[in-house]
Amino acid sequence: MPDAPAATLPPRNLLAEETSPYLLQHADNPVHWRPWSEAALAEARATGKPILLSIGYAACHWCHVMAHESFENPAIAALMNRHFINIKVDREERPDIDAIYMQALHLMGEHGGWPLTMFLTPDAKPFWGGTYFPPEPRFGRPSFPQVLETIARIARDEPDKVAHNVEALTQALAAMARSRPGSGIGPAQMEQAAAALLRTIDRRDGGLQGAPKFPQSALFRFLWAEHRRSGNRAARAAVMLTLERMSQGGIYDHLGGGYARYSTDARWLVPHFEKMLCDNAQILDLLALLAAAEPDAAAYPAPLWRARAEETVAWLAREMLATPAEDGTAGFAASLDADSEGEEGRFYVWTDAQVRTVLASAGFDPGAIDRFCRAYDVTPEGNWEHRVILNRSAAPEADPAEEVLFARARAALFANRAGRVPPGRDDKVLADWNGLMIAALARAGHVFRRPDWIALAARAFAFVVRHMDAGEAPEGPMGGGRRLWHSWRNGTVRVSGLLTDYASMIRAGVILAGATGDPAPLRAAESWARAALALFADDDGAFFTSPVDAADVIVRAKDAADNAVPSGNGMMADALARLFLVTGEERWRAAAASLVAAYAGGAAEQPWAHPWLLVAADMLERGAAVVVAGAPDDPATQALLTAAHAVPELGVTVQLGGIDLPPGHPAAGKGPVAGRAAAYVCRAGTCGLPVTEPDALRATLAPVVETSPS
């Protein structure tokens, strides 16, 4: 890092000029917060003070708790200001910073979580940390003032202890940045991963055993892919059980749509009430896959998949569009808060009396009200802290007439709820989270035959292209490309794009191009892929999290382990495999294969930690490119495109033959058959015979054989 300037920053809170809603929530704290910046890091070096790094996000309940208890307390703020340079980071705005210091906390043997509270040397190297600290000793934790005094004393009087911790953590972080090559990923690794995962499934309520319960969409996405690959019925059952229990539980908002971030219990009843774009994107994708597997099924739970998808996209369109741009584009906001009026879940919960009063006022008779209350677990004693979280866990099915009545009752409650003070919204647009939602909408739009969803995806994609473009990338091994910004809010862009941004938007571009027949998203995807190779690629085939010109990280991390957001390397392997399938260009296949090989050793040892990488490896092995040749406005062409998109396969890419196919693509030059639109299914560099009927195309693309019992 460059030499420190002679002057330090002003002795006051400096967050007011930031755009992140989370940082702005702390702009009035008496703490002398600085945003993460070279100026703040230089101040620490100039003063010799250790850094207190606090990381959270706008929708985080315990972040709010610690802010109210400690950061708004003048006495505690005075301690912080006296002993530390205090830096506040929005983990969604800087996931690369968060990942480094969260890894450091794990290396200390501590459980992770937010708020993340880390203590760093003046040159930003970690030496101790934790998560939430109370203002006085409780929960078996020391008070935050005790922690501040102790850490300040150790930093001042025991430099050898600090240096020892720094050296150990720095070496461990550097080791974690190395890839884990292996001999390859094949059926044996897939089966091992599925078997390991299935042993951890909660057979009654779905999800992984125990509490809290997170959606873990990446794991269930892999189990679905393994079911389609091998016919593993237990994998299919685990995915269906989990989605059904989540979709009927309290983690789902039965009035407004959308899934909360996680459930605090093992039954999906009590959510941590924040709603995140990234979670809902991945769940929507799973709902579409399940619906595509049984497109004509009328028996429960098939109608549930459509209902939850429609309600969730309605929530997305109603509440999660960021301020539309003058050009008509609009990205998606990041999250809704858990709290309103200073209380977690206040916006979402009810009492028995409130429900009955609203429904009676809406004209429902007492019998209908009783039936609704039984179905939605509404009781005088409540199901959470003497209040009611609406859910259908105990009564998931009702006859069609009852469901019509329930829908009317929900509408009445929803209209009443609209008069409450709503949770705060973090309306920054994140490129990686938007890419996940764009891809999910493009798939779901075809599966559920909702072209308006595809249009919503195209609108968000155009927003990222036009408003989050960061100019030309340096020349790389595959030429130049366009750079991305990571975050946008109110016309201001922040943070040079990270690996997850490029990977997510590349795959979104490939999927959207196939969904619309418009080649522009594919061209954008190829440009971002060239930029990613120039900015992030390492010699071992893996990709760094931060770009090559990142100057404010202590280590350029690399990781392929999936969490709430898929890892950058996992998504990049998927994106590169898709680029290969739609273009037929060997360079993309080779890059994807090298990336998979770079982490094959780690995936073999811990397959459950690398589900996206495993699916990408399978895509390289079994993936199919469907090229539909025919006039775009011909109904027969559209029927084939819809059939190709609406299959329950992760490794299928679709494109209209009118999109320029490179000469190396196996379908190059192929056209309609006897004047009829035709689809060509290409695998391993070879295309099958032309298919002209949608049912025949679906059969060709759905080769699963249900033979494996486990």
Side-chain angles (χ1 to χ4, degrees):
M1 293 182 180
D3 293 337
T8 58
L9 294 172
R12 57 182 173 84
N13 189 316
L14 301 180
L15 298 184
E17 298 302 315
E18 294 300 301
T19 61
S20 157
Y22 174 68
L23 298 185
L24 291 173
Q25 287 173 359
H26 294 268
D28 294 327
N29 294 167
V31 179
H32 295 168
W33 290 120
R34 283 84 172 85
W36 183 274
S37 63
E38 175 52 34
L41 299 175
E43 181 185 23
R45 295 193 299 270
T47 62
K49 286 185 176 182
I51 294 169
L52 191 162
L53 175 65
S54 177
I55 303 179
Y57 57 101
C60 168
H61 171 68
W62 285 102
C63 299
H64 300 328
V65 172
M66 191 167 179
H68 297 322
E69 292 178 341
S70 294
F71 304 150
E72 295 172 7
N73 182 312
I76 294 177
L79 277 176
M80 296 171 66
N81 297 336
R82 182 181 312 129
H83 295 303
F84 301 96
I85 300 301
N86 301 290
I87 299 180
K88 176 64 77 172
V89 167
D90 179 346
R91 69 173 293 260
E92 296 167 1
E93 192 173 69
R94 290 304 303 264
D96 54 337
I97 298 294
D98 176 66
I100 291 170
Y101 295 105
M102 187 63 75
Q103 286 179 341
L105 184 68
H106 291 156
L107 289 167
M108 297 173 195
E110 298 288 335
H111 292 293
W114 296 275
L116 176 61
T117 307
M118 293 296 294
F119 295 92
L120 321 178
T121 63
D123 57 356
K125 294 179 179 177
F127 64 90
W128 196 78
T131 53
Y132 163 79
F133 292 102
E136 64 278 328
R138 63 172 185 256
F139 310 135
R141 297 170 181 263
S143 73
F144 193 45
Q146 288 174 324
V147 169
L148 295 172
E149 294 281 17
T150 300
I151 294 300
R153 179 186 57 77
I154 291 173
R156 182 184 65 247
D157 300 337
E158 302 182 54
D160 291 345
K161 181 181 290 187
V162 171
H164 174 77
N165 281 11
V166 165
E167 182 178 6
L169 289 171
T170 301
Q171 290 179 355
L173 287 170
M176 292 180 71
R178 292 193 286 268
S179 59
R180 302 284 300 283
S183 57
I185 296 175
Q189 286 74 30
M190 309 286 183
E191 291 165 9
Q192 176 192 357
L197 272 176
L198 289 171
R199 287 193 293 270
T200 70
I201 297 297
D202 181 335
R203 302 290 179 172
R204 187 188 71 174
D205 292 307
L208 302 187
Q209 296 167 10
K213 261 193 167 70
F214 289 81
Q216 300 282 5
S217 297
L219 297 178
F220 290 97
R221 177 181 184 268
F222 163 72
L223 284 178
W224 184 259
E226 180 60 10
H227 157 61
R228 302 303 301 179
R229 185 192 70 81
S230 68
N232 188 321
R233 294 195 298 272
R236 176 181 182 271
V239 179
M240 292 187 67
L241 174 65
T242 299
L243 264 292
E244 189 218 354
R245 293 292 193 267
M246 283 174 51
S247 296
Q248 300 290 34
I251 192 175
Y252 183 75
D253 180 358
H254 290 263
L255 301 185
Y259 295 78
R261 181 168 171 256
Y262 69 91
S263 172
T264 62
D265 63 292
R267 298 189 298 117
W268 304 110
L269 173 62
V270 182
H272 222 19
F273 290 88
E274 65 264 39
K275 295 181 188 176
M276 318 295 285
L277 181 69
C278 56
D279 292 322
N280 282 278
Q282 294 174 84
I283 294 170
L284 176 62
D285 208 35
L286 285 172
L287 290 170
L289 288 168
L290 292 177
E294 299 180 283
D296 301 317
Y300 182 87
L304 181 65
W305 313 140
R306 173 177 288 276
R308 295 298 177 259
E310 290 180 340
E311 292 158 0
T312 296
V313 178
W315 160 75
L316 180 76
R318 183 182 65 246
E319 299 183 34
M320 297 301 286
L321 285 180
T323 304
E326 293 180 358
D327 57 15
T329 64
F332 300 118
S335 65
L336 294 182
D337 209 330
D339 298 9
S340 57
E341 300 182 80
E343 185 177 330
E344 183 184 13
R346 182 181 179 89
F347 181 77
Y348 298 101
V349 298
W350 299 82
T351 65
D352 177 85
Q354 287 173 330
V355 171
R356 292 179 179 276
T357 298
V358 170
L359 295 184
S361 298
F364 289 84
D365 63 64
I369 294 173
D370 285 342
R371 295 198 302 278
F372 178 87
C373 289
R374 283 195 298 271
Y376 282 87
D377 196 21
V378 180
T379 62
E381 61 273 16
N383 53 27
W384 178 63
E385 297 183 356
H386 308 295
R387 289 173 293 179
V388 171
I389 298 171
L390 297 176
N391 72 94
R392 290 285 296 271
S393 298
E397 297 181 72
D399 64 53
E402 283 288 79
E403 290 296 352
V404 171
L405 182 146
F406 292 164
R408 288 177 44 231
R410 292 196 307 271
L413 291 168
F414 176 75
N416 179 271
R417 193 179 79 174
R420 299 177 178 179
V421 176
R425 186 176 78 149
D426 187 330
D427 59 353
K428 65 178 178 289
V429 176
L430 301 172
D432 50 357
W433 292 16
N434 270 254
L436 287 169
M437 184 57 82
I438 291 164
L441 284 169
R443 181 198 299 280
H446 275 287
V447 170
F448 296 108
R449 303 197 175 188
R450 293 292 302 264
D452 54 321
W453 296 3
I454 299 171
L456 190 63
R459 189 181 180 196
F461 190 89
F463 179 91
V464 174
V465 169
R466 297 176 192 176
H467 299 282
M468 301 181 74
D469 179 83
E472 289 288 338
E475 284 287 321
M478 297 186 187
R482 303 297 297 181
R483 297 191 72 151
L484 281 168
W485 290 103
H486 171 65
S487 177
W488 175 98
R489 183 172 185 265
N490 290 344
T492 301
V493 287
R494 291 290 172 94
V495 186
S496 184
L498 306 169
L499 177 62
T500 51
D501 299 311
Y502 288 83
S504 186
M505 287 304 301
I506 291 166
R507 65 183 298 276
V510 174
I511 293 169
L512 184 63
T516 61
D518 179 5
L522 178 58
R523 300 288 89 85
E526 291 179 296
S527 176
W528 291 326
R530 292 193 298 272
L533 268 292
L535 293 166
F536 301 95
D538 195 8
D539 294 339
D540 61 1
F543 290 75
F544 290 103
T545 299
S546 301
V548 66
D549 52 2
D552 60 353
V553 292
I554 61 171
V555 60
R556 286 184 74 204
K558 286 189 298 186
D559 190 19
D562 301 315
N563 294 294
V565 177
S567 68
N569 275 294
M571 277 200 291
M572 184 59 78
D574 180 293
L576 292 170
R578 290 180 190 278
L579 270 181
F580 163 63
L581 289 171
V582 298
T583 65
E585 294 186 22
E586 169 61 21
R587 58 178 178 168
W588 303 127
R589 188 210 63 79
S594 295
L595 174 49
V596 169
Y599 285 101
E605 293 176 15
Q606 294 182 309
W608 52 87
H610 301 79
W612 271 71
L613 197 75
L614 293 174
V615 174
D618 185 48
M619 195 181 304
L620 283 173
E621 182 67 24
R622 299 190 310 112
V626 180
V627 177
V628 178
D633 57 353
D634 182 351
T637 301
Q638 291 301 315
L640 289 171
L641 285 169
T642 296
H645 281 289
V647 295
E649 307 295 331
L650 287 162
V652 172
T653 61
V654 185
Q655 60 204 114
L656 188 64
I659 296 179
D660 295 335
L661 295 177
H665 195 288
K670 297 186 183 295
V673 175
R676 296 182 62 189
Y680 296 87
V681 179
C682 309
R683 290 188 171 97
T686 302
C687 297
L689 295 174
V691 179
T692 57
E693 297 298 330
D695 287 344
L697 179 57
R698 278 190 285 266
T700 302
L701 291 170
V704 66
V705 179
E706 303 239 2
T707 57
S708 174
S710 61

